[in-house]
Amino acid sequence: MVFVHGAGGNHLVWGLQVHALADYARAVALDLPGHGRSTPPGRNSIEAYRDVVLGLLDTLAFERAVIVGHSMGGAIALALALSHPERVAGLGLVGTGARLRVLPAIMEGVLNDLATTARMVIEYSYAPGTDPEFLRRAEQEFCECPATVIYGDFWACNQFDVMARLAEIRAPTLVVCGREDRLTPPRYSVYLATHIPNATLVLIDNAGHSVMVEQPDETSQVLLHFVELLA
């Protein structure tokens, strides 16, 4: 299993899932270029990030893998399943969509006022009522990613659109979304599950966009059940 984080994120968002699935699969979470411990530059297209993940599969000698992606990572997973279906044993699409438009105010704000924009993004990334101290730490982590890299991520998301191609996907697919997701609302996940053949939808209560962080145990259990079905 390969876990792919979203825009401005890093591998740590998947830490609890990697640990929970370690006894059932060879699970790895990467830092995309320019994120976390990976060196810049970042990329500005989903296809370029897809090629990074493809290169990781080659490096790890993973002939086929279950690709689990969150938000932008879900777009990367979809792109990989469409271009290299023979490498994808299954898809886990978490808090994502077939099209990912970004508000112009966020695009502009990343370069002009990263702190304020981070506060806006993080506020919408978690369910209402989340501990303010938790949100503050999340903002700090978000700002540790270079602004130019985050801008490239959002640019990549803004250009992404595979709505017309979902029927081509043949990999077994699990679609997961927090019921209170305000960045990629549940209707995005419903669309994915409706248009991808052999897809299953799971909506998780008391979670927003960062469902794997907000409800880690339930997210891990859902992924574990998916892996068991693939075995």
Side-chain angles (χ1 to χ4, degrees):
M1 297 185 74
V2 175
F3 290 86
V4 189
H5 62 76
N10 60 60
H11 74 282
L12 295 175
V13 298
W14 293 114
L16 294 174
Q17 284 72 46
V18 169
H19 178 74
L21 288 156
D23 291 338
Y24 304 92
R26 187 178 173 194
V28 297
L30 82 160
D31 284 331
L32 293 168
H35 303 74
R37 298 176 182 175
S38 291
T39 56
R43 306 292 190 264
N44 61 7
S45 76
I46 296 300
E47 291 74 21
Y49 278 133
R50 172 204 64 197
D51 291 345
V52 170
V53 176
L54 186 62
L56 176 68
L57 295 181
D58 292 340
T59 299
L60 296 175
F62 284 8
E63 182 178 348
R64 300 175 75 235
V66 177
I67 311 297
V68 182
H70 172 243
S71 199
M72 182 183 76
I76 295 167
L78 283 166
L80 185 57
L82 287 167
S83 64
H84 294 80
E86 74 284 357
R87 305 299 299 272
V88 179
L91 277 178
L93 305 176
V94 181
T96 191
R99 183 172 65 180
L100 297 173
R101 294 291 182 261
V102 181
L103 291 173
I106 292 179
M107 295 287 293
E108 296 167 8
V110 165
L111 297 180
N112 299 325
D113 187 352
L114 180 58
T116 299
T117 305
R119 192 170 305 114
M120 181 192 312
V121 171
I122 295 303
E123 180 182 349
Y124 276 88
S125 293
Y126 293 88
T130 300
D131 180 9
E133 178 60 23
F134 183 93
L135 296 179
R136 188 194 64 78
R137 292 197 301 269
E139 287 175 27
Q140 185 177 7
E141 276 192 21
F142 187 82
C143 289
E144 289 173 0
C145 188
T148 54
V149 173
I150 300 173
Y151 183 85
D153 289 353
F154 286 149
W155 180 271
C157 289
N158 217 26
Q159 307 306 309
F160 177 72
D161 185 347
V162 295
M163 293 180 72
R165 299 192 60 194
L166 295 179
E168 300 174 32
I169 294 175
R170 292 294 175 263
T173 301
L174 171 68
V175 183
V176 179
C177 187
R179 288 190 185 273
E180 298 180 74
D181 190 334
R182 291 177 286 173
L183 286 180
T184 53
R187 67 177 184 274
Y188 287 28
S189 291
V190 171
Y191 188 91
L192 288 171
T194 302
H195 290 80
I196 297 175
N198 197 24
T200 300
L201 172 65
V202 176
L203 298 177
I204 295 181
D205 293 329
N206 303 312
H209 187 58
S210 299
V211 57
M212 66 286 188
V213 176
E214 297 171 271
Q215 298 295 338
D217 292 340
E218 188 167 352
T219 303
S220 296
Q221 285 300 313
V222 168
L223 288 169
L224 174 57
H225 180 64
F226 181 58
V227 170
E228 289 176 337
L229 291 177
L230 295 177

